[in-house]
Amino acid sequence: MNKDKLTKILGEEPVSMSSVGGGCIADSQVISTRAGQKYFLKQGFSNGLFEKEAHGLEELARSNAIRVPKVMFSGEDFLILEHIESGIKRTDFFMEFGRRLALVHQQSAKGFGFFEDNFIGSTPQKNIVSGEEENNWPLFYWNKRILYQFRLAEKNGYADATLASLIAKLESVLEKILKESEEPPALLHGDLWGGNYMIDETGNPVLIDPAVYYGHREADLAMTKLFGGFSADLYRAYEEAYPLKPGASKREPAYLLYHVLNHLNLFGSSYYGQAIQLLRQLTKA
């Protein structure tokens, strides 16, 4: 984005633009203005990804449970957020994070999904429900998460006979696996790995880069374990604030599978073996 366009959007002149890390997919910069304001600019896609991200941040902000960057301006090909300075973890950082995440998950809606489809990374994420999906979590999760990713894997050339056979077996047992965990839809970050939180200037947690929808809260917690980066204190504080139903650890592979399949589609066959391992664990094959 050029300086003139930024000046028009911000209503003040930028004096510097510094490139920074912005996750796996976005071109991100910190903008400083002549008036002394700082903003965080994300750009690099023109498919509405950033508008969807803005809506997700606004949904999380409405929970008043945890800090997220304030959306300042958004468009089809850009997102401008408040700039949050990075700080140092408080000694009780993960305990506080766990308590605040529990509060996020206590925000509910009338049904699963979201008012719009959005993205997880650069992959489309299907949230608009039809028929029974709104009130049937296993059906929603199968159709909108696992089956959708499998169809993408077929299209991308990663779905061999072994993967197809195990996916078919999973369809027959998924409802049984998930049935013990019926709960109202919970507000989810949707992509909660270690790169999608930061520490603000006061040492508190901030959620960034969401793939928001209303689903089962165990799905968010499972994602935190895919790559690590979260202390045991988070899970302990979460359980104290909002205990999970028995058997959550047995359901965890089902929720990890969605993200592993997504990584297979995004980054290639290095994730194939992990997907097969999870499927065999779930289907006992």
Side-chain angles (χ1 to χ4, degrees):
M1 186 182 297
N2 63 41
K3 189 174 180 180
D4 289 341
K5 184 176 179 180
L6 263 177
T7 300
K8 184 176 180 180
I9 292 169
L10 298 176
E12 53 181 326
E13 183 182 358
V15 293
S16 69
M17 300 172 65
S18 305
S19 294
V20 294
C24 298
I25 61 171
D27 170 20
S28 302
Q29 296 176 306
V30 174
I31 310 300
S32 299
T33 70
R34 193 169 300 282
Q37 297 295 317
K38 283 189 175 183
Y39 301 93
F40 190 79
L41 168 67
K42 300 178 72 172
Q43 55 187 341
F45 287 84
S46 58
N47 58 358
L49 182 150
F50 296 123
E51 289 178 307
K52 305 298 179 69
E53 181 179 338
H55 296 156
L57 288 168
E58 289 164 347
E59 192 76 9
L60 288 168
R62 277 190 283 272
S63 74
N64 292 314
I66 195 166
R67 188 176 181 185
V68 297
K70 183 179 179 182
V71 176
M72 310 303 292
F73 308 93
S74 67
E76 185 179 349
D77 60 351
F78 74 93
L79 176 61
I80 298 176
L81 306 170
E82 70 165 317
H83 174 62
I84 298 176
E85 296 286 351
S86 295
I88 299 172
K89 284 189 181 85
R90 293 169 24 178
T91 55
D92 64 343
F93 174 83
F94 280 109
M95 293 290 288
E96 183 67 12
F97 198 167
R99 288 188 288 265
R100 290 179 183 269
L101 183 60
L103 288 172
V104 171
H105 289 166
Q106 289 174 57
Q107 311 305 307
S108 192
K110 69 175 184 177
F112 299 110
F114 200 42
F115 75 91
E116 64 181 359
D117 296 334
N118 50 26
F119 294 85
I120 181 158
S122 58
T123 306
Q125 179 168 263
K126 300 299 181 180
N127 299 319
I128 298 175
V129 296
S130 60
E132 294 180 34
E133 291 172 341
E134 183 176 19
N135 297 301
N136 184 325
W137 172 243
L139 184 63
F140 173 91
Y141 191 69
W142 170 255
N143 286 338
K144 303 302 188 188
R145 298 295 179 260
I146 302 304
L147 185 59
Y148 180 75
Q149 288 287 343
F150 173 67
R151 296 301 184 209
L152 283 180
E154 285 185 315
K155 182 179 178 181
N156 293 332
Y158 301 127
D160 63 5
T162 300
L163 183 63
S165 174
L166 288 169
I167 287 286
K169 288 179 181 179
L170 179 63
E171 182 179 12
S172 68
V173 299
L174 185 62
E175 184 174 3
K176 182 179 179 181
I177 292 169
L178 300 183
K179 74 174 185 178
E180 301 296 329
S181 61
E182 294 93 341
E183 288 184 334
L187 174 59
L188 305 185
H189 175 280
D191 193 14
L192 193 52
W193 67 289
N196 281 348
Y197 75 84
M198 63 175 290
I199 306 153
D200 72 9
E201 62 279 353
T202 66
N204 281 308
V206 181
L207 292 180
I208 60 174
D209 298 345
V212 161
Y213 68 101
Y214 284 85
H216 199 290
R217 58 196 175 108
E218 290 177 11
D220 250 4
L221 291 167
M223 180 54 175
T224 66
K225 298 179 181 180
L226 186 57
F227 302 115
F230 297 83
S231 162
D233 285 345
L234 180 143
Y235 306 106
R236 183 162 51 250
Y238 185 99
E239 280 279 358
E240 290 173 359
Y242 193 15
L244 294 169
K245 288 196 170 184
S249 61
K250 294 180 180 179
R251 295 182 289 272
E252 194 172 278
Y255 297 125
L256 288 172
L257 180 63
Y258 171 54
H259 298 288
V260 171
L261 288 173
N262 184 47
H263 279 70
L264 174 66
N265 283 310
L266 284 173
F267 304 116
S269 57
S270 61
Y271 285 92
Y272 173 85
Q274 190 175 6
I276 295 297
Q277 182 181 18
L278 286 168
L279 281 162
R280 286 180 171 152
Q281 183 179 351
L282 290 162
T283 61
K284 313 299 182 187

